Structure formats: C-alpha cells, structure tokens
Amino acid sequence: MPSGGSGGYGDLVTSARPGRPEDVSQSVPKVLRVSAALSWRLVAVAAAVWLISWIVGYLAVVIIPVAIALLMSALLAPAVAQLVRWRLPRGLATAIVVVGGIALVVGVLYGVINAFIGGLPDLQKQVAGSVKAIQTWLAGPPLRVSTDQLTGFTNQIVKLIQDNQLTITTSALSTAATLTEVLTGVLLVLFTTIFFLHDGGGIWSFLIKIIPADVRPRVDVAGRRGFASLVRYVRATAAVAVVDALGIGIGIGIVGVPLAVPLAALVFLGAFIPIVGAVIAGTVAVLVALVAKGFVSALIVLAIVIAVMQLESHILQPLLLGRAVQLHPLAVVLMIAAGFTFGGIAGALMSVPILAVLNSGIRSLLHDQGVDPSEVDPTRPPKVEPGHGK
C-alpha cells in the first residue's frame, strides 16, 4: 500500500474524533452561537454599568458637586473666554465672572425670599377663606358632612402628628444633617467651578495623558466637542427656563395667585430638567391657585401652564435645544427616567447633559479625523461643515 494511503486514512480518523473544540463549535447552530456570544457580552456590559453606578452612588457627595460645577463652568466659560479675548488676565477674568455670578444669584434669592415673606400673609388669609368655603361645600348637598365629623377628622390628624412626634423630630435632625451636607456641597461646587474656569484646559490635558499617544489627538478633539455641546445645552436650557418662568410667572401674577415670584423661580429651576421639570413646577402653581383662589383660577393657571409648555415643546425646544444637542425627544425622556431611577433628582438633572456630551463626543470620534485640537474652541459656536453631524 502506498505510504500516502495510511496518512489519508489517519487524517480521516482524526477529523472524525469527537471532542475537538472546532468540531463542537461547528455542530452548534449559528443562531445559538451568536446568541451566546451576545449574551455574555451583555452580561459584561450590565456588570460594568452596575459597578459604575455603585461607585457613583458611593462617591455621590463628591461626584454630584463636581458635575454641577461642570455645568456651571459650561454656563460661565464663554464669559471668561470673552474677557480673556479682551486681554484680561485669566485669573482676573475668572474672578470677575464668579463674583458677578454669585452676586446675581444672591440678588435673585433675596428678591424671591422677600416676595415669599411678603406674600405669605395674603396666602394664609386666602387659604383660610378657601378652607371655610370647602367646609361650607362639604356641609351642603350632596355630601352633608356635619361639623362634628369635620372636627373629629381634624382631631385625628392632630393625634397622628402627636403620636409620630419622635419620627418627625428625627426627620428634622436628619434634615439638619442634610443641610450641612448641602452647604459643604455648595462650597465644593464653588471651588471646583473656579478651578475649572481658571485652568480647565490644563486639567483636561492632564486627564488625557492616560490615552495612548496614537489616538490622543482624536480623543482631545472629541472631548472639546463634547464640552462645546455641553456649553450649547446649558445656554439653550437657561434661555428656555427664562421664557417658561416669565410666561407662567406673569400669567399667575395677572390671575392674582399669591407667591407669583417664588413660583416663577421654581419654574425656572425646574426647567433645567427638560420636559419633566417645568411640568412639575407648573403643577405646583396650579395647586397653589386651587387652594388660594379656587377652582376657576386653577383652571386658568392650568391653561397658562399648558400654553407655555406648548410654546416650549413646539418652538423653543426645536429651535434651541434641538440645534444645541441634536437629541430625539424620546431619547431625552428615556434618559431622564433612567437618571431619576439611578440617581433621583440629581440623576434626572445630569442625565441629558451626559447624553449630549456622549452624543457629540462619539460623533466627533467617528467623523472628526485629522482635526487639530488647537483649532477647536469649546466656548465658540462650531463651524458647521457639509454633511457633518448627519
């Protein structure tokens, strides 16, 4: 027999031996192999997301102030950059902008608190009148609730408060501790914002040193594009918030609802959580109108809130936020829901900016190849190139 014959037979026997990895993988259907490969990758991604969420939650006392400082830096960075272009030293420009911003915030808070204190007696009188009107309505047909029943219900509420006095006291002490944490966070936000404004470029250059040198320029450009998107988002959101606050505040002021200025300030703050925040703040305004002025005034305030929300969703959002971050409304809503689930109010506040930065950064990594990082100025509107960002 030729020598090659035994070799061919041996190869045939070897290829037919069970247990070889390549033979086992080939015997598994392709759909199952692909599903298994996707499954373990999804498990790895889910584990990474869970680990990151746990780390963020554990370090929330530090991460949340730093994130808020980044938002504040995005809002104030164009002003600092403009002063630097006017040949002011960067330290002096940062000091002017920070001190001016603090003065503006303190002035607004002073006006809001004064308006709240001034409108509180009027609100108390109107609430007392509304309570009497409700009692009269309950005593009449068709409910015919007697005065003794109302008194008994009130006594039950008082007894419930007395029985839970220890819990209320503990909550008050917890609130005091929370206020201490808030004060610490505010100071951390202030100092972090100052350093971001004064030496943000140096901090970013230090952070990207961990990136391999061959891809570092592209990551540098993507980071600058992401921060530019954050700047546009914060400015557009602030503009939308001002319009919402003015529209609802002037409307409820005309209706005669007390605390119009504090409610307008609440609407302004709520508008920084897109779509959801202004609606919640408007609902508070409707409830205040219902308690203080009655059902008809509450319906009028509700109509004002709906009109302002329609103006925001159909005109302001497409013109300002749509151009600033290029995000679909469904993506915004889902991201807010996910952020609120993971991080509460802070998560809802930071979810859309994070999505905007990631969207812009990924687009830059995919399209902006060979761009000099020094040519990208995050504080100025980007140059729109044909076909870019589609």
Side-chain angles (χ1 to χ4, degrees):
M1 180 179 292
S3 60
S6 60
Y9 177 75
D11 293 341
L12 179 62
V13 173
T14 303
S15 63
R17 288 177 183 173
R20 296 181 64 185
E22 57 268 27
D23 296 330
V24 174
S25 62
Q26 291 299 325
S27 63
V28 178
K30 183 177 180 180
V31 175
L32 185 58
R33 280 186 281 129
V34 173
S35 301
L38 290 176
S39 297
W40 74 260
R41 285 174 171 84
L42 288 176
V43 170
V45 171
V49 171
W50 178 85
L51 180 61
I52 293 173
S53 302
W54 182 83
I55 294 174
V56 170
Y58 187 77
L59 299 176
V61 178
V62 176
I63 292 178
I64 292 177
V66 171
I68 296 175
L70 190 59
L71 290 177
M72 296 299 298
S73 302
L75 181 64
L76 301 176
V80 174
Q82 185 60 50
L83 292 178
V84 171
R85 294 187 193 105
W86 289 344
R87 301 186 182 281
L88 266 71
R90 192 167 190 87
L92 179 59
T94 301
I96 292 174
V97 171
V98 171
V99 172
I102 293 175
L104 179 62
V105 171
V106 170
V108 171
L109 288 177
Y110 179 78
V112 169
I113 293 174
N114 274 348
F116 179 80
I117 295 174
L120 195 58
D122 188 21
L123 178 62
Q124 292 174 344
K125 294 179 182 178
Q126 293 184 2
V127 168
S130 299
V131 170
K132 291 181 180 179
I134 293 173
Q135 291 176 346
T136 304
W137 177 73
L138 291 174
L143 298 178
R144 299 187 183 280
V145 179
S146 64
T147 305
D148 294 337
Q149 291 175 328
L150 290 175
T151 304
F153 179 72
T154 304
N155 292 335
Q156 289 180 358
I157 295 177
V158 174
K159 185 176 183 301
L160 181 64
I161 294 175
Q162 291 175 348
D163 293 340
N164 294 273
Q165 186 174 3
L166 180 60
T167 304
I168 295 174
T169 304
T170 305
S171 301
L173 294 176
S174 176
T175 302
T178 303
L179 289 177
T180 303
E181 293 179 0
V182 169
L183 180 59
T184 304
V186 169
L187 293 177
L188 183 57
V189 168
L190 177 60
F191 283 107
T192 308
T193 302
I194 292 174
F195 283 108
F196 280 169
L197 291 175
H198 181 262
D199 194 25
I203 296 173
W204 172 246
S205 299
F206 174 77
L207 291 177
I208 62 173
K209 287 182 179 179
I210 63 175
I211 306 297
D214 55 339
V215 296
R216 190 178 301 163
R218 292 182 60 189
V219 174
D220 191 4
V221 172
R224 293 172 184 269
R225 299 283 192 200
F227 186 73
S229 177
L230 184 63
V231 170
R232 296 194 300 271
Y233 167 80
V234 173
R235 296 173 68 176
T237 303
V240 173
V242 169
V243 174
D244 289 347
L246 288 177
I248 295 178
I250 293 174
I252 61 180
I254 293 175
V255 175
V257 178
L259 305 180
V261 174
L263 289 174
L266 180 63
V267 171
F268 175 80
L269 295 176
F272 280 90
I273 303 178
I275 301 174
V276 178
V279 174
I280 296 176
T283 303
V284 174
V286 173
L287 292 177
V288 173
L290 178 63
V291 173
K293 300 291 290 184
F295 186 72
V296 176
S297 297
L299 285 179
I300 296 174
V301 173
L302 178 61
I304 294 172
V305 171
I306 293 175
V308 172
M309 293 300 101
Q310 292 297 314
L311 173 65
E312 175 186 340
S313 61
H314 290 89
I315 297 178
L316 298 179
Q317 292 279 359
L319 288 179
L320 297 177
L321 281 178
R323 293 182 179 179
V325 298
Q326 298 178 351
L327 296 176
H328 194 278
L330 179 60
V332 173
V333 173
L334 293 178
M335 195 66 181
I336 291 173
F340 186 80
T341 301
F342 281 104
I345 297 178
L349 176 65
M350 296 303 304
S351 57
V352 180
I354 291 174
L355 183 60
V357 171
L358 290 177
N359 179 53
S360 180
I362 293 173
R363 286 173 180 267
S364 178
L365 288 174
L366 294 177
H367 299 286
D368 293 337
Q369 300 184 14
V371 179
D372 187 357
S374 62
E375 297 178 358
V376 181
D377 187 356
T379 61
R380 287 185 173 179
K383 297 179 181 179
V384 180
E385 300 177 359
H388 178 72
K390 293 182 180 180

